Structures are given as C-alpha cells and as structure tokens.
Amino acid sequence: MTAPLIVLVGPMGSGKSTVGALLAERLDVSYRDTDADIVAAQGREIADIFIDQGEEHFRMLEKAAVATALAEHEGVLALGGGAVLDAGTRSLLAAHTAVVHLTIGVEEAVGRTGPTTARPLLMGDPRERWQELAEARAPLYAEVARAVVATDGRSADEVADAVLAALELQR
C-alpha cells in the first residue's frame, strides 16, 4: 500500500511547506503540498478560488486533493491548515502513523503570514482571525496527529530535527 512517509498538519504559518521540503530533501524522498496541488489543478491561486467560488467549494477541492495525495504519495506530504476540518479527511489520516502536528503561537504565526490577501481567512484582524481558527482547529489536529512539534523560535532545520526525533526516523 502506498502511504506518505510523513504527513504534516497545523495552522497557517507553522512551517509545513518549508519544513516538509527540508524533510523530503533529508530523507531523499519527494515532497508534495496539497495546496500546491489545488493551485496546479485549478490554474489559479487559493485566494482567487475563495473569492470566486467560496470556502465551501475550496474545501471540496481540498478534500479530493488530500485523498488523492494520501493514496498516491510516498514521500513527505504537507496539508493545508484547514484540511482537518473534514471528517472524511480525519478518518483517512487515522490510518497513517506518521502524522505530525506543527504548532506555533499567534504572534510568530502572524509575523510569518502577515496581513496578505493570499490568506483570505485572515482578512480583517489577522491576529484575531488566526487565534479563532487555531482554537477551533486544535482538537482536530490533536485527533489526527501521532506527534506534536512546536515551531516557535526554531529554525526550519531545528523543527525538521524535532520531527525526525519524534517519529524516530533517521536523516
């Protein structure tokens, strides 16, 4: 059965994409990001999908992208921050033993993501919106994760080391 070696979940700005690419390089496997899969398949940015077709449509695309990636990809996989909102996705993740929740505090996350239209869910007050999303999603990340790695104040290399240690994988 094909399965990702590592699946990264967590809120916006936690470093899933950066750390995922670094882990893939270290482990000499491929890297895949479901947000990038959606952008490639749709030919437009996620913010544009939200604006033109709404969050519900985006979540449908995301659910399909995650299911495909979990079935096909054997390397390191990063999921979008809201992928865990779908119960079906959480059920699929339950079958994977290497799901890692990357955590981050609001100040550092907002510093990384910034007030940008590329993150439509952070429109308005980014700190408040990020905090609301993080609190609502925290139990869902906890439900699917087998390990938790804090990213606050750590470099991508340090986070990658912590992920590998948490999963007891060799570099």
Side-chain angles (χ1 to χ4, degrees):
M1 178 175 140
T2 301
L5 183 60
I6 300 172
V7 179
L8 299 176
V9 299
M12 289 179 269
S14 63
K16 299 178 301 290
S17 297
T18 301
V19 172
L22 183 58
L23 285 167
E25 182 180 309
R26 286 186 182 187
L27 296 169
D28 196 26
V29 296
S30 60
Y31 168 71
R32 187 166 176 175
D33 182 317
T34 56
D35 281 350
D37 288 353
I38 294 166
V39 169
Q42 297 298 305
R44 55 201 177 124
E45 296 300 317
I46 290 170
D48 294 330
I49 297 169
F50 265 78
I51 291 166
D52 296 342
Q53 294 172 292
E55 183 176 0
E56 185 176 333
H57 181 74
F58 171 77
R59 296 295 174 207
M60 180 194 68
L61 297 172
E62 181 176 55
K63 178 181 179 174
V66 171
T68 298
L70 287 171
E72 295 177 353
H73 188 65
E74 295 178 335
V76 177
L77 177 63
L79 304 187
V84 296
L85 293 171
D86 181 75
T89 295
R90 293 193 309 276
S91 179
L92 290 175
L93 288 169
H96 295 272
T97 59
V99 179
V100 179
H101 173 198
L102 299 184
T103 65
I104 188 168
V106 65
E107 293 304 319
E108 193 160 335
V110 172
R112 290 182 189 181
T113 60
T116 172
T117 57
R119 308 250 187 196
L121 290 178
L122 295 183
M123 297 302 286
D125 181 343
R127 278 181 180 73
E128 183 180 328
R129 288 293 301 139
W130 190 93
Q131 189 68 43
E132 289 169 1
L133 292 169
E135 287 174 8
R137 295 172 180 179
L140 304 177
Y141 295 133
E143 179 184 329
V144 301
R146 305 302 178 268
V148 177
V149 173
T151 66
D152 286 285
R154 289 175 144 173
S155 70
D157 280 316
E158 291 169 328
V159 174
D161 288 342
V163 169
L164 293 173
L167 296 175
E168 299 178 353
L169 293 173
Q170 299 298 316
R171 290 196 269 178

